[in-house]
């Protein structure tokens, strides 16, 4: 088979909506999450902190203050105590935000608990505690806190955006969009809500809507590389490879260590049938983040385009090691071994497992049919192509493989009919149907 990707192999090289494709995060400065201290309220009777402590803990000048300084200032207010719960609640809340931004979710939760005990109807503390639970991977508690925040303040755009992100994790894209819509109704330029909605649209396959939301975010944050990467992914999956390439280039210009940008650009080069450039980008992505299975899937595809099947097999092995339950990659390795005509027992095992994971995938059934053909199990090969054709009627490749398998079984009339029907749709079929066509031979009517 030549270097170019043939039409009949499109299903072997599918560009998937994968883990790395979206999931764009929007970083919010801790200063935006701080509550203002109610300085007009009576101050505690015991010795009070200095005005600097009050101002720093309240977020005045917090953009330039370190998290350690903010924590120290809030701690001074907390130690001073007092009979008025509201300033203390604010101090606990703001210190919790600082802990959270330092990555200390456990300490943040302790402070948000204290803030909620003192001010049990403050939506902001529920919202930030939910974010802390989310950082710890506790989705159920995070969702419960986001619900409480929205209950106490239905216009809490941060909580609505966070809950939208939680719905995304649950793959409930419509509810994610609904929460993001509500947030954007109250704050039309709120970036986290736009990003959550863009993610949801992308996972639903509504790429143009995702692109529109990401474009809105870029108007406010032009130097945010991961937003360019996200929009590039949406362009790529929509088939706009030139626009995707421009955005990947911009993302890499902004951030030379964005592995997802190199990975996505590699997939664009695959679509443009430039495997050498794809391999270069996949290698850079591997250097930056060697645990992305999609790097090795893409590079295996590029090696396959170049006819370097041993290198392709090595990359499929690595991808499956990282993600052993990816049916598409198991199918690709099964197909590759069928092309090589080696380790057919292993190829069959891969296809069997892939079918167990995706029992109604016509392309996996077709791959197994080819392996069974190579093993001389022609009747079983015909059965798999029957099943594949039931799912995708009149596919020319499936018809061709079934026809050749029937010929080998001695069913000349219906075998030739299948081959003719396949060639009527795609006259180049014999070339595109390797490895089966390689074994057909002149005696089979070739």
């Amino acid at each position: 088979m030549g270097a170019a990707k043939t039409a009949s192999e499109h299903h072997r090289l599918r560009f998937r909506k994968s883990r790395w494709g979206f999931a764009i995060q929007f970083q919010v400065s801790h200063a935006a999450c701080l509550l203002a201290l109610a300085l007009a309220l009576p101050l505690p009777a015991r010795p009070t902190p200095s005005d600097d402590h009050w101002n720093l803990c309240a977020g005045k000048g917090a953009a330039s203050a370190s998290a350690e300084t903010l924590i120290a200032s809030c701690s001074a207010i907390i130690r001073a105590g007092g009979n008025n719960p509201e300033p203390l609640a604010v101090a606990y809340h703001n210190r919790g935000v600082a802990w959270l931004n330092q990555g200390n979710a456990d300490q943040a939760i302790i402070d948000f608990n204290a803030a909620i005990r003192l001010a049990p109807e403050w939506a902001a503390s529920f919202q930030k505690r939910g974010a802390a639970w989310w950082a710890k991977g506790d989705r159920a508690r995070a969702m419960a806190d986001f619900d409480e925040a929205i209950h106490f303040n239905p216009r809490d755009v941060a909580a609505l955006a966070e809950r939208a992100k939680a719905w995304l994790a649950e793959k409930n894209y419509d509810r994610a969009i609904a929460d993001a819509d509500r947030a954007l109704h109250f704050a039309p330029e709120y970036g986290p809500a736009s990003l959550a909605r863009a993610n949801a649209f992308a996972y639903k396959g509504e790429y143009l809507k995702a692109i529109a939301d990401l474009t809105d975010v870029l108007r406010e944050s032009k130097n945010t590389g991961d937003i360019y990467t996200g929009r590039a992914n949406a362009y790529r999956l929509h088939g706009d490879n030139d626009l995707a390439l421009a955005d990947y280039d911009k993302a890499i210009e902004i951030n030379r260590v964005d592995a997802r940008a190199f990975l996505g650009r590699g997939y664009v080069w695959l679509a443009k049938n430039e495997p050498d450039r794809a391999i270069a980008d996949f290698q850079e992505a591997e250097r930056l983040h060697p645990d992305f299975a999609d790097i090795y899937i893409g590079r295996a595809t590029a090696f396959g385009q170049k006819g370097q099947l041993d290198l392709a097999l090595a990359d499929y092995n690595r991808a499956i090691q990282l993600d052993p339950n990816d049916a598409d990659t198991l199918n690709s390795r099964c197909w590759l071994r069928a092309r090589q005509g080696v380790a057919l027992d292993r190829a069959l095992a891969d296809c069997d497992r892939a079918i167990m994971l995706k029992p109604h995938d016509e392309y996996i059934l077709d791959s197994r049919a080819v392996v069974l053909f190579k093993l001389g199990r022609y009747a079983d090969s015909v059965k798999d192509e029957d099943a594949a054709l039931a799912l995708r009627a009149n596919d020319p490749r499936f018809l061709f493989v079934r026809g050749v398998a029937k010929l080998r079984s001695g069913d000349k009339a219906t075998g030739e009919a299948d081959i003719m029907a396949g060639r009527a749709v795609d006259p180049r079929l014999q070339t595109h149907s390797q490895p089966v066509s390689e074994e057909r031979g002149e005696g089979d009517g070739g």
Side-chain angles (χ1 to χ4, degrees):
M1 185 174 176
K5 182 186 75 171
T6 63
S8 67
E9 284 206 292
H10 177 71
H11 64 282
R12 317 291 177 186
L13 312 178
R14 282 178 289 183
F15 302 155
R16 299 172 297 148
K17 288 186 289 183
S18 49
R19 307 175 273 292
W20 54 270
F22 302 98
I24 311 155
Q25 301 301 317
F26 194 89
Q27 300 300 321
V28 181
S29 166
H30 65 74
C33 306
L34 300 177
L35 296 175
L37 283 165
L39 297 178
L41 296 175
L43 297 180
R46 67 181 68 185
T48 59
S50 70
D51 287 344
D52 285 344
H53 287 317
W54 289 105
N55 290 335
L56 285 170
C57 186
K60 295 181 179 180
S64 60
S66 68
E68 290 81 3
T69 299
L70 191 147
I71 289 168
S73 297
C74 292
S75 296
I77 294 170
I78 291 166
R79 285 194 301 271
N83 297 321
N84 194 320
E86 187 168 335
L88 282 176
V90 172
Y92 276 115
H93 173 93
N94 289 359
R95 190 172 72 173
V97 171
W99 287 125
L100 185 58
N101 285 337
Q102 282 196 323
N104 191 338
D106 290 325
Q107 192 62 51
I109 288 168
I110 292 171
D111 276 353
F112 293 134
N113 287 343
I116 289 167
R117 283 194 299 271
L118 291 164
E121 295 186 1
W122 276 2
S125 294
F126 282 105
Q127 182 264 314
K128 295 310 296 181
R129 190 175 70 177
W133 286 123
W134 185 267
K136 286 173 61 67
D138 193 331
R139 292 181 183 178
R141 286 181 171 177
M143 183 70 86
D145 273 349
F146 298 146
D147 289 344
E148 283 295 294
I150 294 165
H151 169 73
F152 288 118
N153 181 8
R155 301 170 69 96
D156 187 333
V157 294
L160 286 164
E162 292 280 3
R163 192 169 70 176
K165 185 173 70 173
W167 288 127
L168 279 173
E170 299 295 326
K171 299 183 179 181
N172 193 329
Y173 305 127
D174 290 333
R175 297 191 75 167
I177 290 168
D179 273 348
D181 283 345
R182 285 179 61 189
L184 291 166
H185 173 73
F186 297 124
E189 296 182 355
Y190 188 60
S194 293
L195 288 178
R197 191 170 68 178
N199 277 308
F201 282 139
Y203 282 116
K204 283 169 64 72
E206 298 180 33
Y207 302 119
L208 292 177
K209 291 181 179 180
I211 290 163
D213 273 342
L214 294 171
T215 301
D216 286 341
V217 175
L218 282 168
R219 291 193 185 99
E220 303 298 319
S221 308
K222 294 186 183 299
N223 291 321
T224 305
D226 62 343
I227 311 300
Y228 279 104
T229 300
R231 190 173 69 174
N233 289 333
Y235 277 133
R236 175 176 59 82
L237 290 166
H238 189 251
D240 296 325
N241 287 310
D242 290 335
L243 292 173
L245 187 60
D247 271 359
Y248 286 130
D249 287 346
K250 182 65 174 178
I252 291 167
E253 176 187 331
I254 294 170
N255 181 9
R256 289 288 307 175
V257 295
D258 185 351
R260 295 183 310 125
F262 285 103
L263 176 57
R265 193 170 69 176
Y267 275 88
V268 170
W269 293 129
L270 282 181
K272 288 176 168 288
N273 194 33
E274 296 197 40
D276 290 326
R277 300 181 82 168
I279 289 167
D281 274 344
F282 291 136
Q283 287 173 338
E284 184 63 13
E286 179 187 19
R287 184 185 70 81
L288 294 167
H289 201 307
D291 293 333
F292 277 165
D294 290 282
I295 293 169
Y296 306 100
I297 295 167
R299 193 168 63 187
T301 303
F303 283 135
Q305 288 182 348
K306 289 168 63 69
Q308 296 175 318
L309 303 188
D310 289 339
L311 292 174
L313 181 60
D315 271 346
Y316 282 134
N317 290 342
R318 176 62 173 149
I320 291 167
Q321 182 183 23
L322 290 168
D323 188 358
N325 294 319
D326 186 329
D328 290 333
T329 309
L330 288 164
N331 175 42
S332 295
R333 189 169 70 175
C334 169
W335 172 249
L336 182 63
R337 282 176 167 150
R339 284 182 62 183
Q340 291 179 301
V342 298
L344 293 175
D345 55 338
R346 294 183 182 181
L348 184 59
D350 278 346
C351 272
D352 284 344
R353 176 157 177 75
I355 288 171
M356 182 181 71
L357 293 166
K358 291 179 72 174
H360 303 296
D361 189 300
E362 63 270 31
Y363 298 118
I364 301 174
L365 288 164
D366 170 57
S367 295
R368 190 170 70 174
V370 172
V371 174
L372 291 167
F373 177 92
K374 300 278 282 188
L375 288 168
R377 294 170 55 180
Y378 305 122
D380 290 334
S381 178
V382 169
K383 288 179 183 178
D384 270 352
E385 291 296 8
D386 286 342
L389 284 160
L391 294 165
R392 187 180 178 85
N394 299 319
D395 183 283
R397 178 191 161 76
F398 301 169
L399 287 166
F400 185 93
V401 174
R402 187 175 70 175
V404 177
K406 285 179 177 179
L407 288 179
R408 289 296 180 90
S409 298
D411 186 351
K412 185 175 177 62
T414 59
E416 290 290 0
D418 275 349
I419 292 169
M420 290 176 64
R423 283 181 171 163
V425 178
D426 184 357
R428 304 167 298 165
L429 196 55
Q430 185 163 338
T431 300
H432 289 180
S433 295
Q434 293 180 329
V436 169
S437 62
E438 294 171 345
E439 296 200 357
R440 186 176 174 214
E442 293 296 322
D444 292 328

